[in-house]
Amino acid sequence: MDRLVVSGGGSVQAGGSLRLSCKASGYSYSDYCMAWFRQTPGKEREEVASIDSAGRSSYADAVKGRFTISRNAAKDTLYLEMNNLQPEDTAMYYCAAEGEEGVLVLPSYPSVCRMGSFAYWSQGHQITVSS
C-alpha cells in the first residue's frame, strides 16, 4: 500500500497555477523532513522544495518566489502551491519523506532536509505546462 499519495495538478497554460497535495496513509510523517521532487525524461530527479517538522522551508532557485511548500500536521498532508507556471516546470512530481537507507539526494540548494536520504516516496504525478 502506498504510504504517500499525491493528488491535484494536471495541465495548465503558462502563467497559471496548480496545487499538489501529498497525503500520508497508514503512517504519520509529521516528524519527518519532507520534500517535493520533479523529474523529466533523461534527467536526474531534482529536489525543488523542502520543509522540516518545524515548518522551516527552502527552495531551489528555479522555483523560488513561485512555489510554496507547506504542511498540515493534523491532516498529515504536504502541499506544493505552484504559481506562474512555465513550460520548463513540466515534469513528473513526487513527494518524499526523509529516512535512513533511502535514496541519497544532493540538492542544488541548501535544503532543510539535512539527512539527504529519502526513504519514502509517492508515485509520480505529471504536471504539464503549455506555452
Side-chain angles (χ1 to χ4, degrees):
M1 182 179 72
D2 293 335
R3 286 183 166 183
L4 296 171
V5 180
V6 176
S7 63
S11 299
V12 69
Q13 289 192 324
S17 299
L18 290 171
R19 186 174 86 156
L20 292 174
S21 299
C22 173
K23 172 73 175 170
S25 176
Y27 193 81
S28 175
Y29 294 95
S30 59
D31 292 333
Y32 288 67
C33 196
M34 298 189 71
W36 287 97
F37 293 77
R38 65 187 183 187
Q39 188 172 25
T40 54
K43 292 189 176 181
E44 291 196 1
R45 198 167 294 187
E46 171 193 23
E47 182 180 330
V48 297
S50 56
I51 187 168
D52 66 13
S53 58
R56 289 179 291 258
S57 61
S58 56
Y59 301 88
D61 287 345
V63 305
K64 193 177 295 182
R66 299 187 299 122
F67 289 14
T68 302
I69 187 172
S70 62
R71 66 194 304 170
N72 184 321
K75 295 183 178 181
D76 231 332
T77 302
L78 179 74
Y79 302 98
L80 185 67
E81 186 75 35
M82 303 177 286
N83 297 314
N84 190 22
L85 282 159
Q86 300 300 315
E88 54 266 33
D89 296 315
T90 295
M92 193 75 78
Y93 283 73
Y94 304 81
C95 68
E98 270 195 329
E100 294 181 352
E101 300 182 5
V103 175
L104 294 178
V105 173
L106 185 63
S108 63
Y109 70 105
S111 172
V112 296
C113 295
R114 301 300 180 90
M115 188 187 299
S117 170
F118 291 85
Y120 311 99
W121 292 85
S122 69
Q123 300 279 5
H125 198 82
Q126 181 68 38
I127 297 294
T128 302
V129 185
S130 58
S131 57

